[in-house]
Every structure is written in C-alpha cells, then in structure tokens.
Amino acid sequence: MKKYKLFFISLISALCLSTNIEAHAAKPLEGSSVSVIYSLNDKIHGINYDTYMHPASTQKLLTALAALLYLGPDYTFKTALYISRQSHANGKLKISTDGTLTGDIKIKFTGDPFFTSDNLSSLFKSLKDQGVKRIKGNILLDISRFTGKDRADGWSASDLPVCFTAPSSALIINHNCAGCRLRPSSIGRRAKVEILNRNPISVSSETITVKASDFRDKCTLEAEILGSNSYHVSGCIPKLKKDAPYPLLFAVNDPKSWGIDWTVKILKNLNLNVLGDISVVKQNQAGFTPYAVINSPRLYNLVKVMLQKSDNLYADAIAKTVGFEYFKRAGSYQNAVKAIRAILEKQAGINLKNAYMVDGSGLSSHNLLSAKNLFDVLNYIKAHDSTLNLIAILPKSGISGTLKNRPSVKGKQLKGAVIAKTGSLQNVSNLAGFIKSKSNKLIPFVILENSITYPQTLREEIKQLKKRSPHYEFEKSVITDIYNEKEFSY
C-alpha cells in the first residue's frame, strides 16, 4: 500500500519565515518559468504574460468573481430536514402517544462548506423538541445537489490524506476534516493516538517519538489511507516542550460513510431511536415537505474565508454551486468550470481563450491560466469594486490571511501595500492582486513562478525549515519595483 507524506496545519505558518529580504534586482531561479504583468501609467509591463502556466490558488479569483456576479453576495446554502407527507397533517407532526413518528426523514445536503455536526444535531433536535422519541422509517441523506467526482483530476495522490484536499461532496460536515493528535512518549517509544471531537474515524499508529533536532532531518511523519475513513500513521514526531501533543488533520476519504457515522452518533446522543435504515441517496426523493433548515453565512463571507485562508473545499463547493445554479442540474467539476467561463465572458467581458480549468480551487496540476487571464480579472475587479467589494477581503501583506507572513512582502514599507491572492503547489509559487504604490496608486499585478527547483542540498535545507526558498527574492524584487512605480526589467 502506498504511503503518503503527511503535511499538517502546525507546519504551515513555519513555512513562511518572517525574516526580511533585501530589496534588490533579482533574477528568476535558473530553469524556472516566469510570467509577470502589471500596468503603470496606462502601459502594460512584464514578460511572458500570454504563456499558460499553473495558476494554483490564484485561480480562486475567478471562482470568487463568477460566484459574486451570478449568485450575488447574499446567496446562502440551505441544508434542510424534510419529513414525509404521511408524517404530518395541517402543518403539524403526526406523533403517536408513545412518541413515534412514522415515515421517512430526509436531510438535503447542498455543499455548504460551513455546515457542522452541531448544525446536523440541531436539525434532528427540531423533531425531539416536538416530542419525537423514535422514528419508524428510514433516514435518507440526500446528496443529489452534486454529481461526479468529489476530488478533481490532477490532485496529487500524496496529498489525499491532508485536510486541504478535503472532498467537495454535497455532504459536508465539519469541513470534511477530522482531527486527532499524537501524544509523545519518551524518546524511542511509540506515540499515542488521541482522536478529537468524537470524530468517527479510526487511526492506528507506529509513530516513534524522537528528539526535536532529529525530526525532518532524520525522519518524517507519514500517513496512509487504509480504506473508508481509516488511517495509519508511521515515522516519527518530535518531543516538544512539556510533551505538547502533535496535531493532525485528515481529509475525510469517504464522505458518505462520514455522513452516516455522524448521523448515527447524533441520533444516539439525542436518544432518538430509528427503526429503519440510514443511507445515502443520490437522487432527489419526492413526497417530502421541508420542516427545518440551516442557512449558511452569506456568500460574501464564505468567499472571504476562501480567499483569506486559500480554502480549497470552500472554493470547489462554491464553484459546483455556481454550476448547479447556472445549468439547473447537479453541480460537478465539469459544469462548474463551464459556468465560470460563461459568466466571466457574458457578465464581465473576460474571454479566457485557451485557458484550461478542471476545478474551482486551482488545486489541480492540470489547470492552465495565463498571467493575462488573471490580469483581466483583476482589472474588472478594480473597475467594479464599488459594487463587488472584493479587494477588501483579499489577504493583505503583513496583516492578514496568506500574506501575513509571506517573506516577499515583509517589511514596514510594504505592510498593507500588497493586497493579493497567493497560489502554491509543488514547484509553483504565484501572486496576483494589487499593490498600493508609493504615490498611492492601486496597481493590478500578476507574478507566476513555475518549475521552481534548486540543488538537492538546498531542497533538503528548505524542507527542514533551515532556509527559505530563494525564489522569493525575485518576487520581492518585482513587488518593490511596482511599489516604486518602476518599469519591469531583469
């Protein structure tokens, strides 16, 4: 069985070292592919900006714009509990004297990325509050809002156990992520697994506790998916101060089982006895009436989370919802990207031409956009910001989101001056957004760096967090030139 290298939440901030980079003219890394574009005094500057490259999460700008244009900022996801028609009369539940409700219950999932197990419990509690003690019927978990794959083509197999690749099913509970932690023991002894928040997953471990100085240098932590929502971790974890536990977040592998397991757990906690089966259905079931509903936050707030945290689940759930609403049929990766392209062309006049898109998050290595594609999106956002208000929810250098600690935008001069979306994949590092120049001009810009590689010894030092990637020097140089309103040259 394949073993997958496990990245986890606690390392993300450590990858973004805070030391300032000296501003100076820098060249792209040897062998890398670079695209740059920005406008200055109504003139376009840059290089290779018509070349198609891997956009990574800068592609979320397209998803954000299309969603706000078509769905509107006040759109909400609605997850509802439905009761069968035989279970009610004149708007009231038909409950026997012993508290039995006869008939099937349906939960209609709609891909709400904000939906939690507490929300699901609230839906079932709405029955208990009316005196229901048992349900003489089946519980149907309806996932017909989306169809097709839960993960897009081109997602890295090595990332599948990691929370940032959580599957964008219509059924989303707790971000489709499950937390656990490894409790270190004495050096050389096996760490203990502790599953958090009663998550219905299983995790086995043969992970050894090592000195902090040996972690990442002499051994790493690895995980494998054993099947359904079962995982195995091996390798090592460092012994931290005061034996602090080592947190892990797994992406749910099987959303259907995840939904069933949470439903069983919640019904048990509520002392609601179900005399039928609990199952997942892929077709919309007739003969039901809505009884209780959970609304998500408004779309604008969800888009803010997506952009600030570069959240892939939010992006793909939103993209599939755009596909669902645009074509009036089950949302999928395929109709999501078709809808995004059509909306951008019809409502924003943006023709993506030969761009290739397979998801809404940019997580797939198959995606190809040009810097000019992204530049056109940015120009539209800038021209219509009074209605879109999109710039306000992008990460800001040294202040928020994925730009809070990015090395290329550190320093007093650039704090708050760079307002942009980051995009990172293996060997890919991108930035697209706006720079407030020294004379307070708002300048749209895109920097795409693909095929980033370096000598093996340096790669190991970067992996061990001993050094930062030197590609940030070129990015810093371009950003500084734009801030100083200089023409591009290298």
Side-chain angles (χ1 to χ4, degrees):
M1 179 161 308
K2 270 190 174 182
K3 287 193 173 182
Y4 302 119
K5 185 172 178 181
L6 187 63
F7 297 89
F8 46 89
I9 284 287
S10 64
L11 282 182
I12 292 176
S13 61
L15 289 172
C16 300
L17 305 181
S18 61
T19 306
N20 286 344
I21 297 175
E22 293 295 328
H24 62 277
K27 302 286 186 182
L29 290 186
E30 181 181 353
S32 65
S33 300
V34 170
S35 294
V36 175
I37 186 171
Y38 62 95
S39 58
L40 190 60
N41 299 322
D42 297 322
K43 181 181 177 183
I44 290 179
H45 299 273
I47 189 170
N48 300 329
Y49 45 76
D50 288 321
T51 300
Y52 289 91
M53 301 178 69
H54 300 304
S57 286
T58 60
Q59 188 166 311
K60 290 181 174 71
L61 291 168
L62 280 67
T63 300
L65 178 56
L68 290 175
L69 286 175
Y70 193 76
L71 302 177
D74 295 323
Y75 180 91
T76 58
F77 293 79
K78 301 180 185 300
T79 306
L81 181 148
Y82 288 74
I83 56 176
S84 59
R85 290 172 184 166
Q86 71 185 93
S87 303
H88 70 100
N90 299 321
K92 294 184 178 181
L93 296 177
K94 294 169 65 176
I95 308 171
S96 67
T97 55
D98 67 352
T100 299
L101 179 70
T102 300
D104 293 342
I105 300 295
K106 180 175 76 169
I107 304 292
K108 177 78 171 179
F109 289 92
T110 57
D112 176 3
F114 198 77
F115 192 79
T116 67
S117 53
D118 287 342
N119 294 146
L120 183 59
S121 182
S122 294
L123 289 176
F124 284 114
K125 190 174 182 297
S126 68
L127 299 177
K128 185 178 177 65
D129 289 345
Q130 296 302 310
V132 176
K133 297 179 180 178
R134 64 189 57 82
I135 299 168
K136 191 177 181 180
N138 302 312
I139 306 293
L140 308 177
L141 307 181
D142 184 340
I143 60 170
S144 60
R145 176 63 63 92
F146 294 167
T147 189
K149 299 176 180 178
D150 294 331
R151 294 178 170 97
D153 292 340
W155 287 19
S156 173
S158 64
D159 292 335
L160 293 184
V162 189
C163 187
F164 71 77
T165 65
S168 62
S169 167
L171 193 159
I172 298 174
I173 300 173
N174 297 342
H175 200 275
N176 282 354
C177 284
C180 78
R181 60 190 181 189
L182 297 176
R183 178 73 64 177
S185 183
S186 57
I187 301 299
R189 299 287 298 274
R190 186 169 296 183
K192 181 182 178 182
V193 175
E194 298 174 350
I195 295 175
L196 304 177
N197 303 322
R198 301 173 291 113
N199 282 304
I201 62 171
S202 62
V203 182
S204 58
S205 171
E206 52 180 323
T207 308
I208 302 301
T209 305
V210 299
K211 295 178 181 178
S213 58
D214 290 339
F215 183 63
R216 289 190 298 269
D217 189 6
K218 296 182 179 179
C219 68
T220 58
L221 184 64
E222 295 184 333
E224 56 186 310
I225 299 170
L226 300 181
S228 189
N229 295 318
S230 178
Y231 309 86
H232 181 73
V233 289
S234 59
C236 68
I237 62 167
K239 191 172 182 66
L240 303 173
K241 291 182 179 179
K242 298 182 180 180
D243 286 340
Y246 208 68
L248 304 176
L249 276 175
F250 292 104
V252 167
N253 186 51
D254 182 356
K256 300 180 186 68
S257 295
W258 180 246
I260 292 171
D261 291 344
W262 266 114
T263 301
V264 169
K265 183 181 290 289
I266 287 167
L267 291 170
K268 182 179 180 180
N269 289 341
L270 292 173
N271 292 317
L272 277 174
N273 187 22
V274 178
L275 304 181
D277 297 324
I278 301 173
S279 62
V280 172
V281 294
K282 295 183 178 181
Q283 291 80 34
N284 189 30
Q285 307 292 309
F288 286 86
T289 300
Y291 181 75
V293 64
I294 298 289
N295 291 312
S296 74
R298 58 198 290 259
L299 180 66
Y300 182 82
N301 293 336
L302 299 179
V303 169
K304 180 179 180 179
V305 173
M306 176 187 77
L307 295 174
Q308 287 285 324
K309 297 185 176 181
S310 200
D311 194 293
N312 297 313
L313 178 72
Y314 274 63
D316 285 320
I318 291 169
K320 287 184 177 181
T321 300
V322 171
F324 166 78
E325 297 288 2
Y326 189 84
F327 290 107
K328 304 303 178 187
R329 60 175 182 265
S332 65
Y333 282 113
Q334 185 177 27
N335 68 18
V337 297
K338 285 184 178 179
I340 289 170
R341 295 180 75 112
I343 292 163
L344 293 181
E345 183 162 12
K346 292 178 181 178
Q347 295 188 224
I350 299 170
N351 186 340
L352 295 177
K353 297 181 180 179
N354 295 334
Y356 185 64
M357 298 164 57
V358 299
D359 60 23
S361 61
L363 187 57
S364 173
S365 61
H366 294 184
N367 293 311
L368 291 171
L369 290 175
S370 69
K372 182 61 163 58
N373 293 147
L374 290 162
F375 187 69
D376 290 342
V377 169
L378 293 169
N379 276 315
Y380 183 88
I381 290 172
K382 179 183 176 182
H384 298 83
D385 193 52
S386 60
T387 54
L388 290 170
N389 203 25
L390 245 176
I391 297 175
I393 57 177
L394 284 168
K396 292 179 176 60
S397 54
I399 297 174
S400 64
T402 54
L403 281 187
K404 187 172 183 179
N405 295 303
R406 193 174 180 93
S408 61
V409 297
K410 295 292 286 185
K412 184 177 180 180
Q413 184 184 49
L414 292 178
K415 185 174 183 179
V418 183
I419 308 163
K421 183 70 200 73
T422 56
S424 300
L425 289 172
Q426 183 65 48
N427 304 325
V428 172
S429 183
N430 303 327
L431 203 56
F434 306 90
I435 295 175
K436 288 185 179 179
S437 72
K438 63 181 181 181
S439 65
N440 210 33
K441 293 179 181 177
L442 191 65
I443 302 174
F445 79 99
V446 181
I447 304 171
L448 305 180
E449 294 184 78
N450 286 198
S451 302
I452 297 172
T453 190
Y454 9 70
Q456 185 61 32
T457 52
L458 177 57
R459 182 177 294 277
E460 287 298 320
E461 289 177 314
I462 292 170
K463 178 182 175 182
Q464 295 163 20
L465 307 182
K466 295 178 180 178
K467 290 186 178 180
R468 60 172 174 263
S469 173
H471 82 274
Y472 287 119
E473 294 187 20
F474 175 72
E475 184 175 280
K476 175 82 169 184
S477 179
V478 175
I479 289 170
T480 303
D481 281 349
I482 298 172
Y483 176 82
N484 290 320
E485 300 177 25
K486 293 182 179 179
E487 294 188 3
F488 178 77
S489 64
Y490 77 90

